[in-house]
Amino acid sequence: MHRITKITGYVAIILVVLSFNFFLPRLMPGDPLSFLTGAPGMDMPIVLDEETRAKLLTYYGLDKPLSQQFYDYMLGILHGDLGWSIYHNAPVSDILIGALKWTLLLVGTSTALYMVLGILLGAISAWNRGGKSDVGLLVSLLSIGSFPPFFLGMLFIILFSVKLNLFPAFGAQTPFMGYSSLLEEASDILYHLFLPATTLVISHIGGVYLLMRNSMLNVIGEDYILTARAKGMAEWYIMRKHAMKNALLPITTMIALRTGFMIGGTILVETVFAYPGVGRLLFDAVTYRDYPLLQGAFLIITLVIIAANFVADMVYVQLDPRLRHD
Amino acid sequence: MTEIKDLNRFWNAYKESRLGLIGLAILLFFVTLAVFAPYIAPYDPHEMFKPMEHPGSDHLLGTNDIGQDILSELIYGARVSLFIAFFVSVVSGIIGTAFGLLSGYFEMFGFFLMRIVDAFLAIPRLPLIIVIAAFMRPSIWNLIFIFIILGWPITTRIIRSEVLSLRTRNYVEAARMVGAPDTYILMKHILPNVFPLLVVRLIIEASHVIIAESSLSFLGLGDPTAKSWGMILHYAFVYPTIFISDLWMWWMLPAGLCITFTILSLTFIGYALEELVNPRLRGMTRI
């Protein structure tokens, strides 16, 4: 039962997002095309050549009735048709697929790192509550978490790329480099990944740390911890086997919510480091008022987040036996 | 009289927290800058002088690419950032609380409203804000509108879960049994008890709005007529030689630090308040 409600919920959310994406350009004053070419707040109007114009016209299908437009739009999505990018002059879906792997690499690596570090530090902090290490960790993690990701990224570029010349300031790979081996390619990619991933880890670790600390503090007050102590078990063993295991449960749901939050940081970090992912595309699309690309990027990001939420929900049901037989 | 006594007791508990006091001091500093900007700032932030001037006696932090005094921009920037943050957190707090109270108290309404809240929370916030902002005319009021629309669902969820637990308390049941009307119970017995939680939520929401606003402005989607700290960073970031010259020291660093310290102050205040409000965290060593 629990699962069915959840799945219906997710399907409904996907439909809402798709409809939002469909109606947003059509609700703007004028039609999407005239809006594109004379968008408010832009410095120069976009001049479309005949070919692009024709492609956009067929994509939006403005001469047809709205219901037909909606049907075509949904059918197009199912076939992977997300429209035509004005700036790149290529199908939006092709551009996004090329960028998605970089975003997944960046988000995946940083999520894994900040979750593990945040959980460990939070557990250590709670275990030594009120002690020097607790206070030190709490104050320093709350403080570094206050740096906005884009500002932190800019500081890293100045410090580690310009001043110390340790890491590259932009891109995901060295341009025009022929790799002689797979190992060489992998190390070049990791080398470029280091600064953006570190920026993301630092700006997101505080949230998980605080959650884990609070969750641990709740668990530490429980009777079974006292019992374990009374039995004379080693502190480290109690912390790992009795406290952390139970404190982790509420954290799982937060991972998914945090991933949505993290995507926001990724857009900014990719922009600062010119990292060729979906976030950077979103920034380019905003700068060049490339609305089809903007909406395509938004759709992909949202679908990835919803998928992550879904996985977290299913994992949570597996982890918490109380929910399994619902 | 009891209100003043309560406030006194609250303040006495709050000032035990060193983090809370540091946060409050930093926030007061920025609020003072914002309120008295015309008296503190050396110039009008829109006035143009010689562009790209290095820091000197005329311009303590130099001038930007179109010759505006950066220090004055920073001081006036406090107005924009703080105004948006507090306006949004208060209005979305009121809406969120109203919905939270109703949805916690009336089950059917709550069920349907929670499905809407779920949908809002499942969609990543910043990308959604970017897409809407890109389609709308960039103005402060449009930004405020978007932030309010996206801010209330979290407040609603938090207030609702608190109401759900308050509703089963003896005094609420007793009030219901003697026939008190729903509105009376909500206003007299439930609202005062969710209030502390709401204050924590307002502070956290304010810091989220500051991050969101500065991020949008940094991406070039802010209101060009009301220059916030994020907007200063945007112009600095797109300037070609920002990283390879010393420009960043007076153009980028101060604006970034203003945002960072504002968020820091709100984080510290929020943490100190949460310790006071959350009974589970209470009674531990205060920091």
Side-chain angles (χ1 to χ4, degrees):
Chain A
M1 194 47 213
H2 185 72
R3 254 171 228 225
I4 295 169
T5 355
K6 283 280 174 195
I7 291 171
T8 347
Y10 282 110
V11 172
I13 289 166
I14 290 173
L15 285 178
V16 167
V17 172
L18 288 176
S19 316
F20 169 80
N21 233 10
F22 172 81
F23 283 109
L24 193 62
R26 288 168 175 85
L27 281 176
M28 291 300 125
D31 62 77
L33 267 198
S34 62
F35 182 74
L36 275 181
T37 45
M42 58 183 292
D43 305 327
M44 49 190 163
I46 297 172
V47 184
L48 297 174
D49 60 66
E50 273 312 305
E51 196 197 341
T52 318
R53 200 182 171 77
K55 277 191 179 115
L56 282 170
L57 264 180
T58 38
Y59 175 64
Y60 284 114
L62 295 171
D63 44 344
K64 295 178 205 146
L66 198 65
S67 57
Q68 181 70 31
Q69 285 178 38
F70 190 69
Y71 178 77
D72 290 347
Y73 162 82
M74 287 300 211
L75 207 65
I77 298 268
L78 287 179
H79 287 101
D81 176 16
L82 294 172
W84 190 266
S85 160
I86 304 165
Y87 176 66
H88 295 269
N89 202 19
V92 168
S93 49
D94 289 4
I95 303 168
L96 285 175
I97 285 172
L100 193 60
K101 61 169 192 263
W102 295 116
T103 299
L104 290 178
L105 177 70
L106 179 58
V107 173
T109 330
S110 344
T111 305
L113 279 175
Y114 89 83
M115 289 306 304
V116 171
L117 283 175
I119 285 170
L120 276 180
L121 293 178
I124 292 171
S125 211
W127 205 249
N128 305 306
R129 66 183 180 285
K132 261 198 185 123
S133 56
D134 179 34
V135 178
L137 276 173
L138 184 72
V139 174
S140 49
L141 284 177
L142 285 183
S143 306
I144 58 168
S146 297
F147 283 83
F150 51 92
F151 179 51
L152 198 62
M154 285 158 94
L155 289 179
F156 279 178
I157 289 182
I158 287 165
L159 185 63
F160 294 109
S161 304
V162 179
K163 300 276 176 220
L164 299 173
N165 207 8
L166 282 176
F167 291 98
F170 61 88
Q173 280 169 302
T174 314
F176 311 116
M177 186 155 142
Y179 297 110
S180 55
S181 68
L182 205 64
L183 191 72
E184 200 182 287
E185 184 173 0
S187 63
D188 188 47
I189 289 173
L190 282 181
Y191 184 51
H192 281 79
L193 185 67
F194 186 81
L195 283 186
T198 310
T199 311
L200 275 180
V201 168
I202 289 183
S203 49
H204 289 273
I205 196 169
V208 178
Y209 160 81
L210 263 188
L211 274 174
M212 184 63 186
R213 184 173 175 273
N214 284 357
S215 180
M216 272 293 264
L217 287 177
N218 287 339
V219 171
I220 285 172
E222 299 281 345
D223 289 340
Y224 55 80
I225 301 288
L226 194 69
T227 313
R229 279 229 174 91
K231 283 196 283 187
M233 286 174 168
E235 282 286 298
W236 172 245
Y237 185 83
I238 305 172
M239 175 171 148
R240 236 170 11 131
K241 289 280 171 184
H242 293 251
M244 275 181 79
K245 236 181 178 172
N246 286 298
L248 272 174
L249 206 55
I251 308 284
T252 12
T253 37
M254 286 312 294
I255 299 177
L257 274 180
R258 285 261 139 199
T259 318
F261 196 51
M262 175 111 179
I263 282 290
T266 312
I267 296 170
L268 300 163
V269 167
E270 283 183 4
T271 301
V272 172
F273 289 97
Y275 203 77
V278 182
R280 172 75 194 188
L281 281 183
L282 203 67
F283 173 70
D284 284 345
V286 167
T287 312
Y288 302 110
R289 302 279 154 179
D290 188 345
Y291 288 95
L293 181 61
L294 179 71
Q295 292 197 280
F298 168 71
L299 195 64
I300 291 294
I301 290 173
T302 310
L303 290 181
V304 170
I305 296 298
I306 292 175
N309 273 308
F310 181 70
V311 172
D313 259 347
M314 294 299 122
V315 171
Y316 190 68
V317 173
Q318 286 305 316
L319 286 180
D320 192 341
R322 284 167 297 186
L323 287 174
R324 223 174 285 161
H325 304 292
D326 233 8
Chain B
M1 266 326 269
T2 51
E3 274 89 0
I4 297 170
K5 236 188 218 161
D6 277 356
L7 220 69
N8 250 332
R9 218 180 47 205
F10 175 77
W11 171 246
N12 282 333
Y14 181 86
K15 72 180 184 199
E16 290 296 304
S17 163
R18 230 182 310 160
L19 277 189
L21 287 181
I22 295 172
L24 203 59
I26 301 173
L27 187 66
L28 277 179
F29 169 74
F30 284 114
V31 169
T32 313
L33 279 192
V35 173
F36 299 105
Y39 305 101
I40 300 171
Y43 304 99
D44 183 300
H46 297 288
E47 202 180 334
M48 291 182 204
F49 304 92
K50 196 164 154 272
M52 304 314 289
E53 197 108 53
H54 286 205
S57 52
D58 284 348
H59 302 284
L60 286 177
L61 289 174
T63 57
N64 66 11
D65 54 337
I66 53 168
Q68 292 159 337
D69 182 61
I70 294 176
L71 181 64
S72 307
E73 274 190 305
L74 282 175
I75 294 169
Y76 274 90
R79 282 193 160 186
V80 181
S81 304
L82 290 180
F83 171 72
I84 296 181
F86 286 110
F87 191 86
V88 170
S89 81
V90 168
V91 175
S92 76
I94 292 173
I95 299 174
T97 310
F99 277 146
L101 288 176
L102 294 175
S103 71
Y105 200 76
F106 301 106
E107 267 170 46
M108 274 310 270
F109 179 73
F111 178 80
F112 287 111
L113 197 71
M114 278 308 111
R115 301 288 80 76
I116 298 174
V117 167
D118 280 343
F120 266 102
L121 295 182
I123 301 170
R125 210 159 120 155
L126 191 66
L128 184 63
I129 294 175
I130 291 175
V131 171
I132 301 177
F135 274 97
M136 283 170 117
R137 195 177 293 276
S139 81
I140 278 203
W141 290 104
N142 277 348
L143 286 186
I144 286 177
F145 174 73
I146 302 173
F147 292 145
I148 291 174
I149 292 287
L150 297 175
W152 69 267
I154 306 173
T155 312
T156 297
R157 154 134 329 151
I158 292 171
I159 298 295
R160 178 182 130 98
S161 55
E162 185 70 7
V163 174
L164 284 179
S165 105
L166 286 173
R167 199 168 81 129
T168 57
R169 301 279 164 87
N170 288 338
Y171 61 89
V172 176
E173 303 234 311
R176 202 178 299 145
M177 236 178 303
V178 295
D182 288 337
T183 39
Y184 180 85
I185 297 176
L186 276 175
M187 299 313 281
K188 277 279 166 183
H189 293 299
I190 294 188
L191 185 62
N193 283 304
V194 297
F195 199 73
L197 208 65
L198 179 65
V199 175
V200 178
R201 172 70 203 132
L202 288 189
I203 296 288
I204 293 170
E205 177 66 11
S207 74
H208 283 177
V209 171
I210 287 187
I211 297 178
E213 186 278 326
S214 61
S215 305
L216 270 194
S217 300
F218 173 73
L219 295 173
L221 286 168
D223 184 343
T225 59
K227 212 181 270 180
S228 66
W229 294 325
M231 188 85 77
I232 299 174
L233 281 179
H234 168 74
Y235 287 117
F237 177 68
V238 296
Y239 194 78
T241 57
I242 186 74
F243 289 127
I244 48 175
S245 63
D246 283 338
L247 285 177
W248 64 274
M249 282 196 265
W250 56 88
W251 196 0
M252 190 200 97
L253 195 65
L257 288 179
C258 281
I259 303 175
T260 308
F261 275 102
T262 310
I263 297 171
L264 186 78
S265 72
L266 292 170
T267 311
F268 281 2
I269 295 173
Y271 183 81
L273 286 175
E274 201 167 353
E275 259 190 336
L276 279 183
V277 170
N278 189 341
R280 293 201 194 97
L281 299 177
R282 217 180 278 160
M284 298 179 327
T285 323
R286 302 291 308 280
I287 306 162

